[in-house]
């Protein structure tokens, strides 16, 4: 985040969960270096939609702050969601917003493909976008262009809670880390030994 490290505090805890939404808003926090986002597209029953293009649209593209902090908040383990995806990357330092097809090395999926894609109600497509930056403090969203019969349109995708994505390069920033201790319901600076840790 674009704030000196000595001014950064962890989120408040309501019950046994941190208030991350307020903390992000109050601190104007951003994803550090990389944002990964997945989404699925399908058509209404009886319709076929061709997805012609997806690209990054910048709301703000600025140089990252000279002062900042890289903050890690650890709130417990979680499980990922499986499935078949189309993998893409985008370089946020490049204002063209272009998406580049890639593969998922972690899952050993090496097939690459590119737009256009055809979707139906019972035949959706799922995508994973990895957006990276080194120097940018970028606020952005996804634009998906499509056609269906004689119609054409554009769908804007945000981060699913009504906000644009924000990603910021953090090279050279001091690092801060907190773990949520579920026994005391407090933040600690060393990994707890109690569950779920």
């Amino acid at each position: 985040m674009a704030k000196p490290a000595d001014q950064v505090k962890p989120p408040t805890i309501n019950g046994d969960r941190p208030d991350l939404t307020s903390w992000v808003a109050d601190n104007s926090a951003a994803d550090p270096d990389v944002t990964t986002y997945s989404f699925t597209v399908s058509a209404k029953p009886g319709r076929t939609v061709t997805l012609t293009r997806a690209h990054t649209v910048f709301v703000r593209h600025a140089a990252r702050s000279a002062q900042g902090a890289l903050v890690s908040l650890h709130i417990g383990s979680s499980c990922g969601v499986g499935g078949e995806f189309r993998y893409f990357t985008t370089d946020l330092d490049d204002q063209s917003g272009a998406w580049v097809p890639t593969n998922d090395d972690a899952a050993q999926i090496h097939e690459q493909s590119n737009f256009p894609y055809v979707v139906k109600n019972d035949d959706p497509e799922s995508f994973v976008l990895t957006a990276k930056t080194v120097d940018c403090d970028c606020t952005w969203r996804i634009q998906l262009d499509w056609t269906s019969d004689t119609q054409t349109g554009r769908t804007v995708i945000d981060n699913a809670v009504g906000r644009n994505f924000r990603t910021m390069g953090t090279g050279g920033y001091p690092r801060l880390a907190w773990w949520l201790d579920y026994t005391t319901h407090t933040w600690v600076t060393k990994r707890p030994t109690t569950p779920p840790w």
Side-chain angles (χ1 to χ4, degrees), residues 1-33:
M1 62 181 62
K3 178 182 285 190
D6 59 1
Q7 296 180 18
V8 179
K9 306 297 180 185
T12 58
I13 299 173
N14 295 326
D16 62 351
R17 304 300 295 178
D19 185 359
L20 296 176
T21 301
S22 297
W23 182 82
V24 168
D26 292 344
N27 290 279
S28 192
D31 292 333
D33 304 317

Side-chain angles (χ1 to χ4, degrees), residues 27-98:
N27 290 279
S28 192
D31 292 333
D33 304 317
V34 177
T35 296
T36 301
Y37 188 74
S38 62
F39 61 96
T40 298
V41 181
S42 64
K44 293 181 179 179
R47 295 189 66 181
T48 299
V49 176
T50 300
L51 310 177
T52 57
R53 182 190 181 209
H55 63 284
T56 304
V57 177
F58 291 98
V59 178
R60 179 175 179 269
H61 192 283
R64 69 188 185 101
S65 173
Q67 293 190 82
L70 175 57
V71 181
S72 298
L73 299 174
H74 304 275
I75 59 175
S77 61
S78 60
C79 297
V81 178
E84 295 184 2
F85 295 88
R86 308 288 188 180
Y87 291 87
F88 288 84
T89 61
T90 187
D91 180 2
L92 298 176
D93 295 323
D94 176 3
Q95 296 190 50
S96 71

Side-chain angles (χ1 to χ4, degrees), residues 108-183:
Q108 296 185 335
I109 297 173
H110 301 290
E111 178 184 357
Q112 295 183 13
S113 62
N114 206 348
F115 289 87
Y117 298 102
V118 176
V119 299
K120 301 178 181 179
N121 178 252
D122 59 352
D123 188 17
E125 287 283 0
S126 296
F127 301 89
V128 176
L129 174 67
T130 301
K132 301 179 180 181
T133 182
V134 174
D135 299 315
C136 182
D137 181 352
C138 295
T139 304
W140 55 279
R141 52 195 174 197
I142 296 167
Q143 181 173 299
L144 189 63
D145 299 342
W146 54 267
T147 64
S148 179
D149 297 325
T150 59
Q151 293 182 299
T152 61
R154 296 174 177 175
T155 299
V156 174
I157 301 172
D158 60 21
N159 67 355
V161 293
R163 294 190 178 91
N164 296 315
F165 301 97
R166 186 178 175 206
T167 316
M168 183 169 62
T170 63
Y173 286 173
R175 296 172 178 258
L176 305 173
W178 287 285
W179 283 260
L180 181 56
D181 187 326
Y182 284 88
T183 302

